[in-house]
Amino acid sequence: LPPDDQDPPALDVQADERFITISGASFEYVLDRTDGLFKTMNVGGEPLLTRPMEVNIWRAPTDNDMYIKAKWYLAQYPHARARAYDTEYSVGPDGVTITSSMGLLAPAVQRIAALETVWHVSPAGAVHVDMTVRKDPEFPMFPRFGLRLFLDGAFDQVTYYGLGPHESYPDKHRASSHGRYSSSVPELHVDYLRPQENGSHYDCDYVQLDGAGIKLTAVGAKPFCFNASHYTQEELTEKEHNYELHPCDSTVLCLDYAQNGIGSASCGPRLAEQYRLDDASFDFS
């Protein structure tokens, strides 16, 4: 960042039918107009992302998801992807604003949700997002909702303020306490014998990942949840035993508005309503 007494240089914006490229003194971000999400993000000449950003509603089913997961598969949640119908931008003295009218879509089903997304990139490179989500009530409760970022694997140190040090969820956090915690990414993984969703941290104000001399910090307008792992949710879904798991080359960072609760439905009642991610509409910033 420039010294406090100097203004950042003006942003350079280049756009065509497919991409919007925003360049500053030390960064270059490329947003794909077809899905309204960032395809690449480079800082100091180094890539932050190893894959394009995603809107993410899937989690590897837990043992307690054994009944609801049939509805999730029928709704094609593992294959849901964002698509943008219209993406426009404007440039002002405080940065670049990008607006996208989007849908959350999957094969062979109607639109799962409508999304109105506003990105703002400041001259210093800070990125702010406001996402308004309207879920089709015909669909079952979401496993989760948020953004998934595939970061360079060098991002292996995590600091966060929220519920820790143990994994925590809306209905599973009594063993945790609020505080500032630091951990390596592998230490956040919970090694269940049968691979499944694990390692989330609930009610967080911020999370920071550190690697290769760069720090990436995410701050929520409201408390949020995050996962940081070397395993993708697809890997955790597909494998039956923990010894079959293979880490990926990236650090997978999930920034969640919320996750569905864990519950006890493998041997008990359905998840209580107050822990379900089944809101008809919500805002994620």
Side-chain angles (χ1 to χ4, degrees), residues 81-283:
R81 297 291 184 270
R83 292 292 181 267
Y85 308 118
D86 183 62
T87 301
E88 303 297 336
Y89 73 95
S90 61
V91 182
D94 61 344
V96 179
T97 300
I98 303 170
T99 59
S100 284
S101 178
M102 301 159 60
L104 191 62
L105 309 174
V109 295
Q110 65 206 52
R111 186 175 67 179
I112 298 168
L115 290 67
E116 297 296 328
T117 303
V118 179
W119 296 97
H120 181 80
V121 180
S122 78
V127 178
H128 182 90
V129 61
D130 287 308
M131 188 174 287
T132 300
V133 182
R134 301 288 183 266
K135 175 177 168 288
D136 186 327
E138 293 295 321
F139 283 85
M141 54 191 173
F142 284 158
R144 65 161 15 119
F145 185 91
L147 295 171
R148 182 162 67 154
L149 284 68
F150 291 83
L151 304 176
D152 187 285
F155 285 91
D156 61 358
Q157 298 297 315
V158 181
T159 300
Y160 61 96
Y161 188 90
L163 283 172
H166 310 298
E167 67 174 7
S168 54
Y169 294 83
D171 60 341
K172 181 190 175 185
H173 57 261
R174 298 292 183 177
S176 299
S177 60
H178 280 98
R180 181 179 183 271
Y181 298 96
S182 296
S183 173
S184 69
V185 171
E187 288 171 338
L188 292 175
H189 178 73
V190 181
D191 190 29
Y192 290 108
L193 294 178
R194 182 172 92 59
Q196 55 193 285
E197 159 62 31
N198 72 87
S200 179
H201 287 275
Y202 174 66
D203 207 32
C204 292
D205 293 326
Y206 73 85
V207 61
Q208 183 177 84
L209 281 81
D210 192 349
I214 301 174
K215 292 182 179 180
L216 174 67
T217 305
V219 179
K222 299 177 182 178
F224 63 97
C225 312
F226 83 90
N227 287 74
S229 178
H230 289 312
Y231 300 106
T232 65
Q233 59 204 30
E234 290 84 1
E235 179 75 3
L236 294 170
T237 299
E238 293 168 3
K239 298 301 171 63
E240 295 292 334
H241 307 93
N242 58 352
Y243 59 81
E244 298 176 307
L245 288 174
H246 293 285
C248 65
D249 294 332
S250 303
T251 293
V252 185
L253 175 63
C254 295
L255 301 172
D256 292 326
Y257 162 77
Q259 273 211 52
N260 211 44
I262 299 299
S264 58
S266 62
C267 58
R270 291 195 310 161
L271 183 67
E273 284 190 18
Q274 64 265 37
Y275 303 124
R276 299 177 192 172
L277 181 49
D278 202 24
D279 300 341
S281 62
F282 54 86
D283 298 314

